[in-house]
Amino acid sequence: MAVTGEEVKVAKQLEANINWLNRELGVKESFDVIRRDIIFAGRRASLFYIDGFIKDDIMLYILRRLSELEREDLAPSPFKKTLQQYINYIEVDTLEDLHQVVDKVLAGGLALVVDGFEQVIIIDARRYPARNPEEPDLERVVRGSRDGFVETLLYNTNLLRRRIRDPRLRIEILQAGSRSKTDIAVVYIKDIAHPRLVEEVKRRIKAIKIDGLPMAEKSVEELITPGNWWNPFPRVRYTERPDVAAVHLLEGHVLVMVDTSPSVMIIPATFFHHLQHAEEYRQVPLVGAFLRWIRFLGVVVSVLLPPVWLLLALNRGLIPPGLEWLGPKKIAAIPLMWQFLLAEGGIDLLRMAAIHTPTALATALGLIATILIGEVAIAVGLFNPEIILYMAVAAIGIFATPSYELGMANTLVRVVALLAVGFWGLPGLVAILLGTFLLLATTKSFGVPYLWPLIPWDWRSLKSILLRSPVPLQNLRPPALKPLDEDRQPAPAYKPWPWQDRETLEERASREARLQDRVQDKD
């Protein structure tokens, strides 16, 4: 058996190949690693596969077909005729390195090793355990598609192909994890996504040096976005909806799909990407804009309401005229700041308990939280009623945040703001809010400023965030992504919104010149 560097070449002698594969795959040590010895056309051969990954009907058909062959059927080119004429299956490949054979078998492939052949035939007859596509729990819509990504990578790519039938849609497979060998798909549209963005994403994935990725997409995120341990704000957006993923592909984003995960990463992602929801685009523009502003208001209230109320309650002199009713009429047994922190801990504990509680007991959990804990705590004088009210409003705002990761980051900011107000008052609140803004302003997601289009200022793009633009006006892709093709559709000949700006001839000429420069840079 020839050994070249790290490669182990396939030998002509079947026994040498079998002994090496038996040792590497752990045949007879692992009950689900199967070796099936067969004879066809007078040649000895062995099949290696993982039990449960192989389609039984396909394997039975191939075995029946091979058993009918005679020695003269393979003459004069046994390997070529076996591969091209007698293995009647669609996905077939050949390998000369036994290390690659092991990887293919562990990934679910069927390896056919034949005596006298210096290549192993790999038959991709995989059947992964998979659930049917269902609507994601975190991204439900009133109207719209009900399918969602699942844990099987091939199913997820099919859901994207169904929505974007563009021959320039590229799905490149990479692997990470020296032991897990996890499949990671990088998805983009070739003539839209900027090549530097695509190459940077692939470079970071290829640079991953770790033994395994059992936590799938979250482990990949932390490995390709270094320094994220001290910054709570997410620099990639997750989605489980194929329609949302397809929209971002058409804008020039890059998707990262990790096998065994139903969540797809959208790269890059700004702060405002995490505040968008598919429901806004399933309604008429005016209703969509209304839903968006209600969501914006809920996010702001969830962060600022508890610390601002605590500041006014502790400093009565800051209360403006007409709002003297703010603040507790009677102080409870626990100081106000600690009441907020205890309520915050209780809400987070309740949220974690709801995740681990069976659906049949979810109602009982809610009754226990609201009646036995909240009401009794107020009745015995441990909490002020206003504390429970404002924390409940803040929790609703967090739940209304489309991105779960952004909601948790906002929760952390609120907790730190409560501590700052409790210890330092108004200067503490100002310092925390200013520090948070500076953190957001200096954060970048794969080169894109996190607060774009607010910083740097881009009024044309900011309008599309503040107001849900009608589809006829969505004729330009986000300039922050530097797409190779900036036009999505011709500019409309009318102005659906009275305040809508038309692109001037000078602006269009400048944009076309920038596009030409990018094409030259790519070449």
Side-chain angles (χ1 to χ4, degrees):
M1 182 175 299
V3 180
T4 307
E6 294 184 357
E7 292 187 355
V8 179
K9 293 294 185 179
V10 179
K12 278 191 174 183
Q13 297 78 22
L14 177 63
E15 291 299 328
N17 296 325
I18 288 179
N19 293 336
W20 195 92
L21 290 173
N22 283 344
R23 182 175 66 254
E24 291 297 315
L25 288 171
V27 177
K28 296 184 179 179
E29 296 179 23
S30 299
F31 79 96
D32 58 341
V33 180
I34 308 298
R35 190 192 89 200
R36 172 81 158 82
D37 296 327
I38 61 174
I39 297 177
F40 70 94
R43 290 178 176 267
R44 295 184 301 119
S46 293
L47 292 167
F48 290 85
Y49 58 95
I50 303 296
D51 191 17
F53 278 175
I54 299 298
K55 299 176 183 177
D56 294 340
D57 52 346
I58 299 299
M59 187 172 177
L60 183 61
Y61 174 80
I62 292 174
L63 289 175
R64 182 184 297 115
R65 178 64 171 160
L66 293 177
S67 66
E68 297 172 352
L69 299 180
E70 300 295 338
R71 188 183 299 273
E72 56 271 14
D73 293 333
L74 299 183
S77 303
F79 177 78
K80 185 176 181 180
K81 296 192 71 173
T82 301
L83 180 65
Q84 298 181 357
Q85 187 171 348
Y86 296 116
I87 296 185
N88 300 324
Y89 192 67
I90 298 174
E91 298 181 68
V92 180
D93 195 8
T94 61
L95 295 175
E96 298 179 355
D97 182 7
L98 288 179
H99 281 298
Q100 296 180 5
V101 173
V102 170
D103 293 342
K104 290 294 185 180
V105 171
L106 294 177
L110 174 65
L112 174 61
V113 188
V114 184
D115 189 27
F117 291 0
E118 293 183 308
Q119 296 183 62
V120 174
I121 299 174
I122 302 296
I123 304 170
D124 191 356
R126 288 178 288 185
R127 181 183 58 189
Y128 284 149
R131 61 183 175 91
N132 293 325
E134 300 173 353
E135 186 176 15
D137 290 333
L138 294 178
E139 298 177 272
R140 293 184 178 273
V141 293
V142 177
R143 298 190 183 278
S145 60
R146 306 296 176 182
D147 57 347
F149 291 125
V150 296
E151 290 76 13
T152 305
L153 184 59
L154 185 60
Y155 284 20
N156 295 340
T157 57
N158 289 341
L159 291 173
L160 282 179
R161 290 282 186 185
R162 184 180 179 187
R163 287 168 169 80
I164 302 180
R165 302 176 183 180
D166 189 341
R168 288 165 293 275
L169 176 63
R170 297 292 182 263
I171 304 177
E172 299 186 24
I173 287 291
L174 304 175
Q175 278 192 344
S178 59
R179 293 185 182 274
S180 66
K181 302 186 186 302
T182 304
D183 290 328
I184 303 175
V186 178
V187 188
Y188 60 96
I189 300 179
K190 187 174 182 179
D191 60 344
I192 296 180
H194 198 283
R196 293 178 185 173
L197 173 61
V198 176
E199 291 303 319
E200 178 64 16
V201 173
K202 292 194 293 186
R203 183 191 67 80
R204 296 191 185 188
I205 293 176
K206 292 177 182 177
I208 294 176
K209 305 297 181 183
I210 196 172
D211 58 349
L213 298 169
M215 293 294 106
E217 83 290 345
K218 190 58 186 175
S219 299
V220 174
E221 178 200 349
E222 295 185 9
L223 289 166
I224 66 176
T225 56
N228 213 22
W229 62 272
W230 57 269
N231 188 342
F233 292 96
R235 286 183 279 176
V236 301
R237 180 186 176 184
Y238 288 106
T239 184
E240 296 182 27
R241 296 188 61 90
D243 50 0
V244 173
V247 167
H248 284 81
L249 279 176
L250 293 172
E251 288 182 350
H253 293 263
V254 175
L255 304 183
V256 175
M257 311 173 74
V258 184
D259 193 25
T260 72
S261 171
S263 298
V264 171
M265 282 186 281
I266 301 172
I267 297 174
T270 66
F271 179 83
F272 298 103
H273 278 111
H274 296 280
L275 297 178
Q276 298 176 356
H277 193 272
E279 182 65 30
E280 300 163 2
Y281 294 91
R282 296 290 185 177
Q283 305 295 334
V284 296
L286 192 60
V287 175
F290 171 75
L291 294 176
R292 181 170 294 184
W293 274 97
I294 291 295
R295 184 170 290 111
F296 287 170
L297 180 62
V299 173
V300 172
V301 166
S302 69
V303 176
L304 295 181
L305 180 61
V308 169
W309 184 89
L310 177 61
L311 176 65
L312 297 179
L314 296 178
N315 301 272
R316 305 290 300 179
L318 298 177
I319 299 179
L323 297 179
E324 292 82 2
W325 51 270
L326 284 175
K329 302 301 181 291
K330 185 176 78 171
I331 302 298
I334 302 176
L336 292 178
M337 183 189 73
W338 294 108
Q339 290 185 44
F340 271 114
L341 295 178
L342 289 174
E344 181 70 58
I347 291 175
D348 292 334
L349 185 62
L350 178 62
R351 176 164 45 190
M352 289 186 287
I355 295 175
H356 305 298
T357 301
T359 304
L361 301 178
T363 303
L365 176 65
L367 292 174
I368 292 173
T370 55
I371 298 178
L372 296 184
I373 298 179
E375 293 293 335
V376 173
I378 294 173
V380 300
L382 293 177
F383 283 86
N384 288 94
E386 294 94 331
I387 303 293
I388 303 298
L389 170 64
Y390 295 135
M391 285 305 301
V393 173
I396 292 174
I398 292 295
F399 294 146
T401 305
S403 170
Y404 179 80
E405 291 76 19
L406 180 61
M408 295 305 299
N410 290 340
T411 299
L412 185 59
V413 172
R414 183 176 66 234
V415 171
V416 176
L418 287 170
L419 288 170
V421 169
F423 288 111
W424 298 291
L426 181 59
L429 179 61
V430 172
I432 292 301
L433 295 181
L434 181 61
T436 302
F437 180 78
L438 291 176
L439 176 62
L440 294 173
T442 56
T443 298
K444 289 187 176 182
S445 174
F446 289 81
V448 177
Y450 200 59
L451 287 183
W452 181 87
L454 184 62
I455 299 177
W457 180 263
D458 185 344
W459 173 238
R460 184 187 296 273
S461 301
L462 187 60
K463 285 188 298 183
S464 64
I465 290 177
L466 298 178
L467 297 171
R468 196 288 236 180
S469 300
V471 173
L473 292 183
Q474 299 173 14
N475 57 316
L476 296 177
R477 295 186 171 90
L481 300 175
K482 299 179 180 179
L484 297 181
D485 182 6
E486 293 187 350
D487 292 314
R488 296 194 64 181
Q489 60 180 333
Y494 61 95
K495 297 195 296 185
W497 295 113
W499 54 82
Q500 179 66 30
D501 295 333
R502 293 288 301 280
E503 186 180 30
T504 64
L505 293 177
E506 293 79 6
E507 291 174 334
R508 185 174 185 85
S510 175
R511 183 162 55 81
E512 291 178 351
R514 294 196 306 270
L515 176 59
Q516 187 65 27
D517 292 340
R518 288 174 193 157
V519 173
Q520 293 177 357
D521 292 342
K522 178 184 177 184
D523 296 338

